[in-house]
Amino acid sequence: LDDDVGTEWLSSCESCNPKVGWLGQVMSVPQVVRCVKLFQSRRPLAGSSGVSVERWDGSAWQQMFLAEGIQPSAWESLPLLQQPALYLPAESRPRWRVVNEAAVRSTWRIAGLKFFTRSACRDEAGGIQFDSGHTLGHGPDVAFAGASSALGEGAVAAYWESSCDGCDIGEAWLGLSLEVGMPLVRCVQLRQLRDPAHGAGAVSVQVLVGGLWIV
């Protein structure tokens, strides 16, 4: 990690089995890792023909990229373009939000919103709700407590409603500041109302990293 290929790190294992040897970095501030560069030793039998890039999600190591057939004595670039490795300090309160990525003809209304820490939409995350602004009586708590069943004909809907009317792209959002130490969000459930005038045709899920919202 000193940017000098004349020095090298040596594992404590010899003839290491897969996943026994590893080297990493703990970052002091939130970062999004999009690429890793690796230069292995020139010495015979001191390199690995296959490596993976993994990140710690708060409870387990998650594989982000697998490279096979790599060579020693050359820089290897390991891109994380499809799913960048997100690092958030354990003591931080990760902030996640859903944003309208298409214009809304009227106010944006959300009947239900849930964030989960498992990819199968299990283990619902708790925390502090926040939004871009809302109308009286239609705050974030209404959406996060939203009914999970479909509304029948003639039913009166409870929903979060944005303060913007005729919302431009990115103008309205609803989110959750997670409890300290919670794993990363893996799944989001969103339920809009049936009225297309109050719906967004496209949305994004974003997380706040180092003062920037990352999709």
Side-chain angles (χ1 to χ4, degrees):
L1 300 175
D2 61 2
D3 203 28
D4 182 357
V5 297
T7 62
E8 60 185 11
W9 167 84
L10 297 175
S11 67
S12 57
C13 60
E14 293 187 14
S15 301
C16 306
N17 288 325
K19 294 188 177 293
V20 174
W22 52 269
L23 177 64
Q25 184 172 0
V26 176
M27 302 173 191
S28 59
V29 296
Q31 300 284 339
V32 174
V33 178
R34 298 194 181 276
C35 184
V36 176
K37 295 190 74 173
L38 173 70
F39 192 104
Q40 296 192 88
S41 173
R42 297 181 174 90
R43 294 185 297 112
L45 305 180
S48 175
S49 62
V51 299
S52 63
V53 178
E54 301 180 348
R55 67 166 171 79
W56 181 254
D57 69 358
S59 59
W61 288 102
Q62 303 293 331
Q63 182 174 293
M64 308 301 297
F65 185 83
L66 176 64
E68 298 176 307
I70 63 177
Q71 302 296 321
S73 303
W75 281 107
E76 292 283 348
S77 295
L78 313 176
L80 309 177
L81 301 178
Q82 298 300 317
Q83 188 180 8
L86 175 67
Y87 167 77
L88 294 170
E91 66 276 10
S92 69
R93 294 186 66 102
R95 291 166 62 88
W96 295 80
R97 68 179 185 177
V98 172
V99 183
N100 71 307
E101 295 294 342
V104 182
R105 298 206 306 268
S106 185
T107 55
W108 192 19
R109 295 178 178 177
I110 296 177
L113 179 63
K114 296 180 185 295
F115 294 85
F116 299 87
T117 57
R118 299 188 65 178
S119 57
C121 279
R122 293 172 8 193
D123 295 345
E124 184 177 351
I128 301 172
Q129 304 149 6
F130 64 93
D131 65 2
S132 55
H134 57 268
T135 59
L136 183 63
H138 296 283
D141 58 309
V142 180
F144 283 97
S148 58
S149 58
L151 294 171
E153 293 296 328
V156 177
Y159 49 82
W160 170 82
E161 184 173 48
S162 66
S163 56
C164 58
D165 191 342
C167 306
D168 291 332
I169 294 173
E171 186 177 357
W173 64 82
L174 179 59
L176 189 68
S177 180
L178 269 59
E179 296 169 354
V180 175
M182 290 199 70
L184 297 177
V185 168
R186 299 280 184 190
C187 180
V188 177
Q189 288 183 343
L190 170 70
R191 182 164 166 259
Q192 301 185 87
L193 298 187
R194 290 177 178 149
D195 187 345
H198 295 281
V203 301
S204 64
V205 177
Q206 303 179 1
V207 60
L208 186 64
V209 178
L212 298 175
W213 287 102
I214 304 296
V215 177

